[in-house]
Amino acid sequence: MGKKVAIVGAGVSGLASIRSCLEEGLQPTCFERSNDIGGLWKFSDDAEEGRASIYKSVFTNSSKEMMCFPDFPYPDDFPNFMHNSKLQEYIIAFAREKDLVRHIQFETLVTSINKRPDFSITGQWDVTTEKDGKRESAVFDAVMICSGHHVYPNLPKGSFPGLNRFKGQCFHSRDYKEPGIWKGKRVLVVGLGNSGCDIAAELSHIAEQVIISSRSGSWVMSRVWDDGYPWDMVFITRFQTFLKNSLPSAISDWWYTKQMNARFKHENYGLMPLDGTLRKEPVFNDELPARILCGTVTIKPNVREFTENSAIFEDGSTFKNIDCIIFATGYGYAYPFLDESIIKSRNNEVTLFKGIFPPQLEKPTLAVIGLVQSLGAAIPTTDLQARWATQVIKGTCTLPSVEEMMDDIDEKMGKKLKWFGKSETIQTDYIVYMDELASFIGAKPNIMWLFLTDPKLAVEVFFGPCSPYQFRLVGPGKWPGARNAILTQWDRSLKPMSTRMVGDLQKPSLSLHLFKLLVIPVLFIALLLVLI
């Protein structure tokens, strides 16, 4: 009999973990506090305690070819960017196809996870759950935490003097569901992240006035990128990652800023980040620049002080007669069922090897799945995390020494400080991170070998989108359909738009794209040489 594994949460991370356990011959039991799978993507009319919450109009920021489970492509006719209900439909289909639901105990709350007295020998855990008012405890050989990081809202009321005097409504964006009740109102949105911009743009169609207050600004990207293709299929490639990580910082930073400003000049819209060279996660919003141009959304700096019905900004300007303040100020991550020192083992910071394993544990039998963030999509990331984690739990893969893991964590924190401006951020470089995980299980594609043995595939893998299928080409869990999925990914991307045929469908020219990418840094280097 395989080891017994407790999985907390039945969102995409939990489903990936169940599936990986089954692939490795382990016995998974997943505990889900709600009555359905999907986690973040399962919409409900009310925000539920302890669960992620989305608003009715949420669409994906990643395109379908870049956010699928690597051996389960979306149907051809699914749109590239999906409404949350469409993604939930896909998640249900995946769970049904892989026969995962029978391993889930619904409406079951995990109340505590504790080491067994003999943990240093067995690595086992006592897991206590509650259902219908009844508590039960069971022993598990390993635990995979898949409860996400969009559950506990960060509501920094103490950072805003006078907020306690404000007479209007005030709430976090997780409680926002739809715009109707704010018709004709004056709304202040605090925060320039994806939720804040989505909510502000949506409200601007019916509210009297919407203002976004931002402390540090943000790059705003469109889902529609070069020549009308999905942004991530053009932007997230191995070749671009290679260039950006290999070029001198001055050139890489200049090129990144030029790409971010390609659609519009952020300085003119009040959106420019304080440090535009940092690779902090951009905002994806196709509508915000137009709403600013139309005057229905205005960007302001940080709030200095609130009064009974107004906000005074740091530039001295005032927004009066506010009906509602929506704090789109992100989330904190917490695991109330677990001893906090296990995850935050140093200086109260999250300390996890590769964002998954607590390095100080005597036995590597606890894994956190889904606690990373990057430009890449969550589904393929959690799939690869779960594949590696289950092999470690099974004993097929081994972790480095504690000292080596801590050194790696310190090195990554230094790089995060350089790239993202914070050493403790959960952000990471998508392709670099995925390749690291894939190399642990023998699933990283060998690009040089592909160029020698399958040049057609190699060109698409290196210069084309770094799609999830690449990580099921080789190694454990290899999918026979991966090669064909890569070679036909543009067909599936164009299919849902082929509703009025006016000529042959135009796939991107990799050679032309390569020329565009190379010409900018080459010209920049040539200019530097001339000036020198």
Side-chain angles (χ1 to χ4, degrees), residues 51-67:
R51 287 195 66 232
S53 175
I54 56 173
Y55 33 98
K56 188 173 290 186
S57 60
V58 165
F59 279 76
T60 63
N61 291 331
S62 297
S63 65
K64 67 175 183 178
E65 290 302 304
M66 300 294 281
M67 68 173 298

Side-chain angles (χ1 to χ4, degrees), residues 57-300:
S57 60
V58 165
F59 279 76
T60 63
N61 291 331
S62 297
S63 65
K64 67 175 183 178
E65 290 302 304
M66 300 294 281
M67 68 173 298
C68 63
F69 286 100
D71 60 345
F72 195 72
Y74 290 86
D76 290 0
D77 59 350
F78 269 42
N80 282 279
F81 296 98
M82 290 165 283
H83 185 258
N84 62 83
S85 60
K86 207 69 175 173
L87 180 54
Q88 178 69 0
E89 182 182 330
Y90 168 81
I91 292 170
I92 292 171
F94 173 78
R96 185 184 301 119
E97 172 72 18
K98 305 301 180 182
D99 194 21
L100 305 181
V101 176
R102 65 190 178 92
H103 300 280
I104 304 172
Q105 295 184 19
F106 291 105
E107 298 180 334
T108 303
L109 173 68
V110 175
T111 57
S112 68
I113 297 175
N114 295 299
K115 295 178 182 177
R116 296 274 294 166
D118 58 354
F119 180 83
S120 60
I121 300 172
T122 64
Q124 291 181 327
W125 302 83
D126 283 321
V127 178
T128 303
T129 59
E130 183 176 317
K131 181 173 183 175
D132 299 328
K134 297 179 181 179
R135 289 201 171 197
E136 292 184 2
S137 291
V139 177
F140 287 90
D141 298 302
V143 173
M144 301 177 77
I145 300 175
C146 307
S147 50
H149 54 90
H150 293 95
V151 176
Y152 301 99
N154 176 35
L155 196 57
K157 292 185 175 181
S159 302
F160 298 98
L163 184 59
N164 59 328
R165 304 199 306 266
F166 180 69
K167 300 296 186 183
Q169 292 197 48
C170 173
F171 58 90
H172 191 271
S173 58
R174 81 181 303 270
D175 294 312
Y176 174 87
K177 291 296 177 179
E178 53 87 25
I181 61 174
W182 306 111
K183 184 176 181 179
K185 304 295 184 180
R186 296 168 64 82
V187 181
L188 172 64
V189 178
V190 178
L192 192 64
N194 283 307
S195 295
C197 291
D198 279 353
I199 292 169
E202 183 171 69
L203 287 174
S204 70
H205 291 277
I206 63 170
E208 178 185 322
Q209 178 65 54
V210 178
I211 285 183
I212 299 176
S213 168
S214 174
R215 181 176 55 191
S216 56
S218 180
W219 294 118
V220 178
M221 292 176 67
S222 172
R223 294 177 177 87
V224 185
W225 206 244
D226 293 349
D227 300 320
Y229 297 114
W231 76 270
D232 46 0
M233 295 188 73
V234 179
F235 196 82
I236 301 179
T237 72
R238 291 182 176 278
F239 180 65
Q240 284 211 49
T241 296
F242 169 76
L243 280 184
K244 288 174 181 175
N245 291 339
S246 302
L247 290 170
S249 295
I251 299 175
S252 179
D253 292 346
W254 172 81
W255 183 24
Y256 178 75
T257 303
K258 184 174 179 60
Q259 284 184 305
M260 293 297 102
N261 258 331
R263 183 181 171 211
F264 64 92
K265 301 301 181 186
H266 284 64
E267 300 94 324
N268 298 342
Y269 288 72
L271 296 168
M272 185 72 182
L274 292 179
D275 188 343
T277 63
L278 293 178
R279 270 50 165 188
K280 291 196 293 187
E281 185 180 17
V283 168
F284 289 91
N285 196 290
D286 304 294
E287 195 178 9
L288 182 64
R291 305 315 297 169
I292 295 173
L293 278 178
C294 293
T296 56
V297 174
T298 304
I299 308 298
K300 287 287 187 178

Side-chain angles (χ1 to χ4, degrees), residues 12 18 30 44 101 116 140-141 154 240 249 264 277 303 322 368 389 397-398 408 427 456 482 486 503 518:
V12 294
I18 298 171
C30 179
S44 61
V101 176
R116 296 274 294 166
F140 287 90
D141 298 302
N154 176 35
Q240 284 211 49
S249 295
F264 64 92
T277 63
V303 176
I322 301 173
V368 181
C397 291
T398 57
D408 182 82
Q427 283 188 263
K456 181 179 181 181
I486 293 170
L518 283 175

Side-chain angles (χ1 to χ4, degrees), residues 375-426:
L375 275 180
I379 290 178
T381 304
T382 58
D383 179 78
L384 197 48
Q385 285 183 320
R387 288 166 67 192
W388 176 45
T390 51
Q391 290 204 27
V392 171
I393 290 169
K394 184 180 179 180
T396 308
C397 291
T398 57
L399 297 181
S401 67
V402 173
E403 183 179 0
E404 290 174 315
M405 288 191 284
M406 293 304 296
D407 287 344
D408 182 82
I409 290 169
D410 289 338
E411 180 187 349
K412 293 297 189 295
M413 290 180 77
K415 290 182 178 179
K416 287 178 179 182
L417 183 62
K418 174 186 175 183
W419 286 98
F420 307 115
K422 293 180 180 180
S423 61
E424 71 277 9
T425 181
I426 61 173

Side-chain angles (χ1 to χ4, degrees), residues 239 243 255 463 513-523:
F239 180 65
L243 280 184
W255 183 24
F463 295 107
H513 183 56
L514 174 61
F515 174 77
K516 287 180 180 178
L517 289 174
L518 283 175
V519 72
I520 294 175
V522 167
L523 289 175

